Amino acid sequence: GIEFIDSYVFNKVEDIRFNSTVGRFVGYTEHGVKNAEAWNSDAGILGQEQAQLESYCKPNADIDYSAILDKT
């Protein structure tokens, strides 16, 4: 399967991350935890992140995988 990870970094520190396997945001700083709580309660934001997996990751993974197989 494919896992989509969307990290938000500020001043070289990861504040928050969306992980498609978990299906929600996780905060790593005080600011990130607050945003994670807000974003996880917003179905629209969660839906946008999940849509990235379907619309971008999966089609491009097939292309990349084919390109790798062609070179081996």
Side-chain angles (χ1 to χ4, degrees):
I2 297 172
E3 182 176 60
F4 170 62
I5 295 174
D6 193 5
S7 294
Y8 295 79
V9 177
F10 181 72
N11 283 344
K12 300 182 182 178
V13 175
E14 186 176 27
D15 278 335
I16 189 169
R17 176 190 297 175
F18 176 83
N19 182 320
S20 66
T21 302
V22 178
R24 57 192 296 110
F25 291 93
V26 176
Y28 296 101
T29 64
E30 184 178 350
H31 181 256
V33 168
K34 287 179 183 176
N35 276 339
E37 289 174 3
W39 296 354
N40 285 330
S41 66
D42 187 323
I45 293 175
L46 286 177
Q48 284 180 318
E49 292 287 344
Q50 289 286 9
Q52 292 288 327
L53 178 66
E54 298 298 327
S55 66
Y56 180 79
C57 297
K58 288 184 178 178
N60 283 293
D62 290 341
I63 293 167
D64 293 342
Y65 189 65
S66 294
I68 291 167
L69 288 180
D70 289 345
K71 291 180 179 160
T72 57

